[in-house]
Amino acid sequence: MTDPQWQQSPTPYYTPPGYHPSTATPPPPPPPPPRQRNGSPLLWTAVVIALVIGVAVGYVFGDSRHDNKGTATAAATTDDSPSILASAPAEPTDTPTEEPSPTTPNLAPSDFTIKLRVRSKECFGSAGCDLTYQIDPQYNGIEDISSGSWEVTYVVRGGQDGPQVNTFTLKDGQASFDDSESIQTTSSGTKLRAKVTSVEVES
């Protein structure tokens, strides 16, 4: 008789209550590995810089074309538009321009001196003498007398009958006076003196 062989029965697994293999939740799948970006950072930087430069060049070129177009349009408008100043005719002036007449300066008596030239002399003792003389006027002023006319009054003193008054004319620098004048003195030694008393501008 052979001895019976003992067989060890398998250890039963622990099954939690309510567990059923068909309703068990499978474990979540592992997360996908991170995607790696294509290209290096230097490549992307170069692309961005190229885009910025392209936009800037396009803006400047477009603005330049816009300005040139505006300038050409303004020039065309200016050339085509009629000028008001050019189209307005000049008004004729029939009235001739009058040149201002030169002003005749006022002269003073002190601007003149008069010398007397005795032409003849005849004495009658105590009765006195008869003299014939001629004036020699001299202008000593600073005004221009080359244009204008003046009437100059002078007086001769030393005569027996008192002062003797006469006039001469000064016109355009030339004096016009009497060729001779007569006067009586009380003696042969009497001296005659002449002096200008007034000067008037002749119109």
Side-chain angles (χ1 to χ4, degrees), residues 135 137 150 152 154 167-171 173-179:
I135 65 172
W150 299 265
V152 183
Y154 63 95
T167 61
F168 71 89
T169 301
L170 178 63
K171 184 176 181 180
Q174 299 293 326
S176 299
F177 46 85
D178 296 335
D179 291 338

Side-chain angles (χ1 to χ4, degrees), residues 92-150:
T93 55
D94 297 335
T95 304
T97 303
E98 296 182 358
E99 296 182 358
S101 57
T103 303
T104 303
N106 293 321
L107 305 181
S110 58
D111 293 334
F112 296 88
T113 56
I114 296 179
K115 295 180 179 180
L116 298 177
R117 295 180 180 178
V118 177
R119 297 300 186 184
S120 64
K121 182 178 181 180
E122 185 177 359
C123 295
F124 306 99
S126 60
C129 302
D130 292 337
L131 279 73
T132 301
Y133 65 90
Q134 185 183 42
I135 65 172
D136 182 15
Q138 300 291 328
Y139 175 70
N140 305 315
I142 61 174
E143 299 291 346
D144 183 13
I145 60 173
S146 61
S147 177
S149 181
W150 299 265

Side-chain angles (χ1 to χ4, degrees), residues 21-60:
S22 62
T23 61
T25 303
R35 295 179 60 185
Q36 295 183 355
R37 297 181 181 179
N38 296 329
S40 62
L42 293 178
L43 178 61
W44 284 104
T45 303
V47 171
V48 172
I49 293 176
L51 289 176
V52 172
I53 295 176
V55 172
V57 171
Y59 176 78
V60 172

Side-chain angles (χ1 to χ4, degrees), residues 11-19:
T11 302
Y13 291 97
Y14 174 76
T15 302
Y19 171 79

